[in-house]
Amino acid sequence: MFRLSNLISSVVENRPERTLNGSIAIWNFTNRCNLSCLHCYSKSTLDEVDTLTTEQIKKTILEMKENGVKFIIFSGGEPLTRKDLFEIADFCKKNGIVTYLSSNGLYFTNKNIQRIVDTFNYVGVSIDGDEPTHDHFRGLKGAFVETLKAVKLANATGAKVGTRYTITKETLGSLEYIFDLAERENIPKIYVSHLVYSGQWGGNSAGRNLLNINSEGDVRPDPFFPLTVGNIIEEDFGSIWQSGELLDELRIHPRKQIDICNGASRARAYAVTGDLWSEDPSCYLTKEERE
């Protein structure tokens, strides 16, 4: 994943790259969702029951703040299925934590849109191609039309809004369409996932300044990581985040692999080879280029 606007500004406008000052957490607050997306790693349904209580979440937010977490991406499932989501986001704001909402947009309405954009520092809505591609990828006919309405609704408020595009073999043919759509609808940002595996420019940051908490409270170095490092229900976040051989290994920078990507995805390496520390099998560089 990467920030395209950051790349364009740094290369075309000769401006310095923006970097994160603090850790970022991708938090799957719920496993409930109104879609059935092909790429979903949480396999969410509307029948799921939330495990984490509001008070448990608030307690963990304070612990995360003490341990340098300054950004939280509200994800899911569909995060807007949680009735306490605004309360949680307001609590983050009160404690100086920047919040991003990652949504499919299907719960955006004229009545709640101002509350959404006023609550979150940034709102990202997923659009993964033209209408047939998006509907197939998201598992619901008519999803594209409603999601685009949501983007327009949010964008009309003047708030910070963007689209989120997951590039896969199913959606690759829509890459040009996504940029045409952004230009046509005056959408200021496009967030592209899985086009570049280097994370936030300093290379893969899983376990270093990136983490994931799932709807069951499990803490992982990133959402796709095959191993957990603890659970916030069983112990406080600081104890989890400040110790452990796995995190120590992940925080070596640069790792054994090349500097620019910091070895890229450890989850992908493990999935293919069974070895967390092998080369990322999707690396774009040849062996000669890497060496």
Side-chain angles (χ1 to χ4, degrees), residues 25-280:
I26 302 171
W27 197 331
N28 306 96
F29 285 100
T30 182
N31 206 34
R32 284 198 307 276
C33 191
N34 51 344
L35 292 178
S36 181
C37 306
L38 292 179
H39 70 309
C40 182
Y41 55 82
S42 61
K43 299 300 180 186
S44 305
T45 72
L46 282 175
D47 297 326
E48 301 293 333
V49 176
D50 291 333
T51 299
L52 301 176
T53 66
T54 308
E55 292 309 311
Q56 172 68 68
I57 290 170
K58 287 182 177 180
K59 173 181 177 292
T60 301
I61 287 170
L62 293 177
E63 294 166 355
M64 293 166 77
K65 178 184 177 181
E66 292 177 357
N67 286 273
V69 175
K70 296 185 178 180
F71 309 84
I72 295 180
I73 296 176
F74 282 56
S75 188
E78 169 51 49
L80 285 172
T81 62
R82 276 197 74 118
K83 294 181 179 180
D84 60 357
L85 198 74
F86 292 117
E87 181 182 349
I88 294 168
D90 287 340
F91 187 78
C92 287
K93 184 181 293 185
K94 178 181 176 182
N95 285 281
I97 294 177
V98 176
T99 57
Y100 302 158
L101 176 66
S102 177
S103 173
N104 60 41
L106 297 185
Y107 289 126
F108 289 19
T109 68
N110 287 312
K111 291 183 178 180
N112 70 12
I113 190 61
Q114 197 61 51
R115 177 77 186 276
I116 291 171
V117 299
D118 286 346
T119 299
F120 293 93
N121 297 86
Y122 175 79
V123 175
V125 180
S126 299
I127 294 184
D128 291 297
D130 56 21
E131 184 171 351
T133 301
H134 179 87
D135 286 359
H136 171 71
F137 194 64
R138 295 283 164 176
L140 179 67
K141 187 173 179 58
F144 174 86
V145 171
E146 296 305 312
T147 297
L148 184 55
K149 285 181 183 178
V151 174
K152 292 179 178 180
L153 198 61
N155 205 26
T157 67
K160 293 182 179 179
V161 177
T163 57
R164 304 172 64 85
Y165 169 63
T166 303
I167 188 166
T168 70
K169 63 181 180 181
E170 289 89 358
T171 65
L172 179 59
S174 288
L175 180 60
E176 183 177 352
Y177 174 86
I178 290 295
F179 284 89
D180 289 342
L181 179 68
E183 184 175 9
R184 183 170 70 249
E185 300 295 341
N186 197 31
I187 301 169
K189 287 184 180 291
I190 303 173
Y191 182 96
V192 181
S193 294
H194 298 299
L195 181 60
V196 174
Y197 306 130
S198 61
Q200 299 292 343
W201 307 109
N204 181 266
S205 53
R208 185 162 53 96
N209 56 16
L210 173 67
L211 66 110
N212 169 248
I213 302 177
N214 71 9
S215 61
E216 302 295 317
D218 295 322
V219 181
R220 290 184 171 89
D222 69 40
F224 310 103
F225 212 83
L227 304 174
T228 64
V229 294
N231 185 286
I232 60 171
I233 298 174
E234 300 169 359
E235 56 185 317
D236 67 82
F237 176 80
S239 298
I240 297 170
W241 193 238
Q242 296 299 334
S243 63
E245 183 178 347
L246 176 58
L247 291 177
D248 289 343
E249 287 289 324
L250 288 171
R251 288 168 182 168
I252 295 173
H253 189 274
R255 298 179 192 141
K256 300 175 183 178
Q257 296 82 3
I258 59 178
D259 295 7
I260 190 172
C261 66
N262 202 32
S265 174
R266 299 299 83 220
R268 186 177 293 108
Y270 183 85
V272 174
T273 69
D275 180 2
L276 271 176
W277 311 111
S278 65
E279 294 180 353
D280 184 333

